[in-house]
């Protein structure tokens, strides 16, 4: 199994540009989420999804959009990049049975380092 | 809303010694799940240990154990016989029980240094 795959690994954008960070998992996980990691701030939740067709906002959703058309994919869109969005982005997923597996851990991708100039 | 607080931005411990990392959280829920994750310099996030709030017994995984104090809303991580490979950023995380807000919230992390 590939687990959680994030692409690209690195990206440099100019202010105002848009882009999509890709996230795919092959574990049939219903729960998927996006975090950003900044020095001294830990991991902050951007958006999450409990299943295909369902998304919800996390702690820091402004400037980001998500959609969940399939169980496998959960792309994160930056509509108009800003320097404040310079960060490392992590996608994570969790096991399919939320009812009996809520103690199941998040499986993380390897992260995308995004720089906005 | 739930919050997770890690009050120690950095800690150091001598190799082979024991260290405890602190985590407190705020919630009005009675059922939830708590996790500790490790992030080494490779940036990969690795699960260290987990605890269900309804279980009174503290979780243990080899050299890693927790001290879960539900009333105090405290979830500290104890690392025994510290090894050089334990050097990493450690994050505490909170997850609500099924049927509630399904956000998984992390603390700001504690950077652990292992001194040879």
């Amino acid at each position: 199994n590939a687990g959680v795959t994030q692409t690209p690994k690195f990206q440099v954008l100019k202010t105002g540009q848009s882009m999509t960070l890709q996230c795919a998992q092959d574990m049939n996980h219903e729960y998927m989420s996006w975090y950003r990691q900044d020095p001294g701030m830990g991991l902050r939740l951007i958006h999450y999804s409990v299943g295909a067709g369902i998304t919800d906002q996390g702690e820091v959703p402004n400037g980001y959009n998500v959609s969940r058309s399939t169980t496998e994919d959960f792309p994160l869109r930056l509509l108009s990049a800003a320097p404040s969005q310079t960060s490392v982005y992590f996608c994570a997923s969790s096991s399919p049975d939320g009812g009996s597996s809520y103690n199941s851990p998040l499986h993380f991708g390897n992260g995308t380092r995004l720089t906005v100039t | 809303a739930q919050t997770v607080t890690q009050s120690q931005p950095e800690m150091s411990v001598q190799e082979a010694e024991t260290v405890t990392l602190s985590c407190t959280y705020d919630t009005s829920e009675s059922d939830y799940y708590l996790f500790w994750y490790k992030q080494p310099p490779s940036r990969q996030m690795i699960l260290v240990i987990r605890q269900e709030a309804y279980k009174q017994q503290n979780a243990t995984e080899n050299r890693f154990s927790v001290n879960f104090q539900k009333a105090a809303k405290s979830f500290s991580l104890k690392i025994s016989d510290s090894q050089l490979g334990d050097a990493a950023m450690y994050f505490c995380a909170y997850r609500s029980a099924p049927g509630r807000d399904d956000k998984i919230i992390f603390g700001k992390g504690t950077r652990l240094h292992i001194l040879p």
Side-chain angles (χ1 to χ4, degrees):
Chain A
N1 284 347
V4 179
T5 302
Q6 285 185 240
T7 55
K9 292 184 179 179
F10 301 93
Q11 183 70 49
V12 179
L13 291 177
K14 294 186 185 301
T15 297
Q17 287 185 317
S18 63
M19 80 157 295
T20 299
L21 305 184
Q22 301 292 343
C23 177
Q25 53 90 9
D26 61 359
M27 297 172 283
N28 197 32
H29 286 175
E30 290 189 355
Y31 185 92
M32 296 186 74
S33 54
W34 277 101
Y35 293 87
R36 59 177 290 172
Q37 182 177 13
D38 304 290
M41 300 299 293
L43 280 83
R44 291 183 291 171
L45 181 64
I46 304 171
H47 286 284
Y48 65 101
S49 168
V50 298
I54 305 169
T55 64
D56 209 341
Q57 295 182 349
E59 302 167 281
V60 289
N62 292 341
Y64 307 94
N65 275 1
V66 292
S67 60
R68 185 92 181 271
S69 56
T70 67
T71 299
E72 294 77 19
D73 300 298
F74 191 44
L76 178 72
R77 297 183 186 84
L78 281 70
L79 306 175
S80 177
S84 61
Q85 294 178 306
T86 293
S87 187
V88 177
Y89 291 84
F90 286 97
C91 179
S93 69
S94 185
S95 69
D97 186 350
S100 64
S101 301
Y102 250 64
N103 64 342
S104 293
L106 286 171
H107 296 254
F108 283 84
N110 289 329
T112 296
R113 182 175 294 277
L114 175 67
T115 302
V116 183
T117 61
Chain B
Q2 294 79 25
T3 59
V4 177
T5 302
Q6 294 180 248
S7 59
Q8 306 149 317
E10 289 195 58
M11 292 193 72
S12 296
V13 63
Q14 209 74 36
E15 193 176 3
E17 296 293 309
T18 296
V19 63
T20 299
L21 309 184
S22 300
C23 173
T24 59
Y25 55 94
D26 188 26
T27 184
S28 59
E29 299 169 345
S30 60
D31 196 15
Y32 46 86
Y33 303 87
L34 298 165
F35 305 85
W36 277 99
Y37 285 86
K38 169 185 176 180
Q39 186 182 42
S42 66
R43 210 169 69 189
Q44 183 182 8
M45 293 288 288
I46 302 166
L47 175 72
V48 175
I49 200 165
R50 73 190 86 177
Q51 173 83 41
E52 292 90 344
Y54 61 86
K55 289 186 177 180
Q56 294 186 341
Q57 186 173 4
N58 290 326
T60 299
E61 289 286 345
N62 301 314
R63 297 183 295 108
F64 299 87
S65 61
V66 299
N67 183 5
F68 173 50
Q69 301 289 328
K70 190 172 184 179
K73 297 178 184 176
S74 173
F75 183 59
S76 60
L77 174 69
K78 186 172 82 171
I79 305 174
S80 303
D81 185 25
S82 298
Q83 300 175 359
L84 293 178
D86 295 333
M89 197 77 171
Y90 287 81
F91 293 99
C92 179
Y94 173 102
R95 184 175 196 177
S96 296
R100 297 184 181 268
D101 186 2
D102 203 3
K103 298 177 183 177
I104 302 174
I105 303 299
F106 285 78
K108 293 184 177 181
T110 297
R111 185 170 300 281
L112 179 64
H113 303 276
I114 309 296
L115 306 174

